Amino acid sequence: MTDFIQRRPILAAVTGFILLFLLLSAFPIIPETKQAVVVRFGKPVRIYNQYEPGKPIGSVGAGINWRIPIAEELVWIDKRVQDVDMQRQQVLSTDQRRLMVDAFARYRIVDPQLMYVRARTEDQLRDQLKPILGSEVRNELGKVSFAALLTPERQGIMDSVRTSLNRIAREYGAEIIDVRIKKTDLPEGTPLESAFDRMRTARMQEAQSIRAQGLKQAQIIQAQADADAARTYAASFGKDPEFYDFYRAMQSYRSTFIGDPKNPVAPTNIILSPQNDYLKEFTGRSR
């Protein structure tokens, strides 16, 4: 061996380099955040560091592993949660309003071998899910009204989208974790202004209805209070007629000379004879 190295040092160096490369490539290091599909001549044969529900990422499978150099290659697949954005598109709600919707989905690849067979790469998987997400969002939002998107019912709609999308994503070895709407707008221009006008009119009608109900309740309360007061006056008149006359006279004086805080009496001169019956409570006279 020593004589071979001395006679042919360049060839020995190249041979050593190749052997070192083969040795290092035979024992790859699998990162905690990656899944590795071992492909032998185009056919997947095993998986390293595959995602397992309920177990922390990297708890099993990560680290040094092995493969047959040249005959086997590694296809790296992300083990973490990924997202796919839906292209902003127009949706027609049940109340015939055109909406511009922007949504996204979060997913994880749980079967990397199936994903490799069906989609080959993560980018192609994302390209496959993007139009499906748009189709499912459009179908589900087309079943509800615009107002429903502003209520807690919106979460139920997104759950339906997630269930439908997850059923298709499973065929690609992926699991849909969540689907969310980022933004929902009306188209710019006349439709948007018309929607604002309709919303403004609806709120004004609602406010008028609330005021009318409040006025009605106030009148009912006032009428009930007047009836209760009349019963109290009648009872007091039956028990003490003189006190009742005195009380009513005091109320009349206040209304005539002072008024109430909301409707004060205008400055007026009133000339009455001291013998006038209206002033009998001031003089202590009785009828």
Side-chain angles (χ1 to χ4, degrees), residues 2-284:
T2 304
D3 293 340
F4 176 78
I5 295 175
Q6 291 177 349
R7 289 196 305 267
R8 298 182 179 181
I10 297 177
L11 179 60
V14 171
T15 303
F17 178 79
I18 292 175
L19 291 176
L20 179 62
F21 172 78
L22 293 176
L23 180 63
L24 293 178
S25 62
F27 299 97
I29 299 177
I30 311 299
E32 294 182 350
T33 59
K34 296 291 185 178
Q35 305 176 87
V37 178
V38 181
V39 181
R40 183 183 301 164
F41 302 116
K43 180 181 179 180
V45 292
R46 61 185 179 277
I47 301 171
Y48 290 136
N49 196 29
Q50 184 173 358
Y51 169 77
E52 296 184 24
K55 293 186 178 181
I57 292 180
S59 61
V60 292
I64 298 178
N65 286 277
W66 66 275
R67 70 172 179 134
I68 302 175
I70 300 176
E72 295 179 345
E73 62 174 333
L74 297 181
V75 177
W76 300 104
I77 297 175
D78 205 319
K79 196 174 184 179
R80 297 167 295 183
V81 175
Q82 305 178 61
D83 61 81
V84 54
D85 286 324
M86 182 190 78
Q87 293 182 350
R88 198 164 186 258
Q89 57 184 284
Q90 192 175 92
V91 176
L92 184 64
S93 62
T94 54
D95 50 1
Q96 301 303 308
R97 293 190 183 182
R98 299 185 182 277
L99 311 174
M100 299 303 297
V101 179
D102 192 1
F104 72 95
R106 302 172 68 237
Y107 68 96
R108 175 187 278 119
I109 298 173
V110 296
D111 190 341
Q113 182 170 330
L114 180 60
M115 193 283 298
Y116 175 78
V117 172
R118 293 291 180 86
R120 291 294 175 179
T121 66
E122 295 178 62
D123 290 338
Q124 291 185 14
L125 172 62
R126 191 175 293 106
D127 292 339
Q128 292 283 348
L129 294 178
K130 188 177 297 184
I132 300 173
L133 172 61
S135 176
E136 293 298 330
V137 170
R138 187 167 56 251
N139 291 340
E140 291 296 330
L141 296 187
K143 300 176 184 178
V144 299
S145 64
F146 174 72
L149 298 178
L150 307 178
T151 66
E153 184 182 347
R154 172 174 175 169
Q155 182 58 44
I157 299 170
M158 291 296 98
D159 290 341
S160 298
V161 174
R162 183 185 65 81
T163 302
S164 301
L165 183 60
N166 188 56
R167 187 164 48 250
I168 300 174
R170 284 288 185 177
E171 299 177 2
Y172 293 89
E175 177 187 27
I176 303 300
I177 298 174
D178 195 12
V179 177
R180 297 286 179 180
I181 293 179
K182 291 193 292 186
K183 193 175 183 181
T184 303
D185 287 328
L186 293 169
E188 297 291 340
T190 303
L192 182 61
E193 296 173 358
S194 301
F196 285 154
D197 290 339
R198 288 194 299 269
M199 293 172 66
R200 187 180 300 109
T201 301
R203 295 299 177 268
M204 291 178 63
Q205 292 175 348
E206 184 179 359
Q208 292 175 355
S209 176
I210 293 174
R211 290 194 191 97
Q213 290 294 331
L215 180 59
K216 180 180 178 180
Q217 291 296 326
Q219 292 174 344
I220 293 175
I221 294 172
Q222 183 64 45
Q224 184 64 39
D226 292 342
D228 292 342
R231 283 194 297 269
T232 302
Y233 293 152
S236 64
F237 179 77
K239 293 179 180 179
D240 191 345
E242 292 183 359
F243 176 77
Y244 179 76
D245 288 343
F246 174 77
Y247 180 76
R248 294 293 293 174
M250 292 300 103
Q251 285 187 319
S252 178
Y253 294 156
R254 184 177 64 181
S255 299
T256 303
F257 301 120
I258 300 176
D260 57 60
K262 294 183 180 180
N263 298 300
V265 175
T268 305
N269 295 324
I270 302 176
I271 301 174
L272 297 173
S273 169
Q275 304 302 320
N276 191 290
D277 288 341
Y278 185 67
L279 303 177
K280 64 184 180 66
E281 296 296 342
F282 284 107
T283 60

